[in-house]
Amino acid sequence: MPQVAVCQVADCAYNQDSTCHALAITVGDGTHARCDTFFTFPSKGGDAAATGRVGACKVSGCLHNVGLECQAPGITVAALQDAADCLTYTMR
């Protein structure tokens, strides 16, 4: 599972110091490369000893997607137009 190398979405409950601490995230809603695991919460969560990984990707049109699994060495997530998007997404 590829690592979430950088997460620039500071208001995500799993983000601490630009590091994702969700054990695994899901990317995409079938059309857009959004981080489906993103949400805001009054306190931070996740496993502080772990760095997030991509558990599943539902954007079949991405070059890195093979059988709904991300094959990129790592991804970057950032806030774009009020959503947390995978910047590593590359259209086939």
Side-chain angles (χ1 to χ4, degrees):
M1 292 180 0
Q3 193 172 57
V4 180
V6 176
C7 179
Q8 300 171 352
V9 187
D11 60 339
C12 180
Y14 291 109
N15 184 327
Q16 296 177 42
D17 300 319
S18 296
T19 302
C20 177
H21 292 287
L23 294 179
I25 69 167
T26 298
V27 174
D29 62 5
T31 306
H32 299 95
R34 294 194 174 115
C35 177
D36 285 354
T37 310
F38 162 78
F39 76 102
T40 59
F41 197 72
S43 61
K44 295 295 184 175
D47 182 346
T51 300
R53 297 194 174 269
V54 181
C57 180
K58 298 184 283 184
V59 187
S60 60
C62 180
L63 178 68
H64 302 291
N65 188 324
V66 176
L68 302 178
E69 300 291 335
C70 181
Q71 302 299 312
I75 71 164
T76 298
V77 176
L80 294 176
Q81 300 174 342
D82 298 325
D85 284 7
C86 175
L87 298 185
T88 309
Y89 166 79
T90 306
M91 188 169 25
R92 292 183 198 246

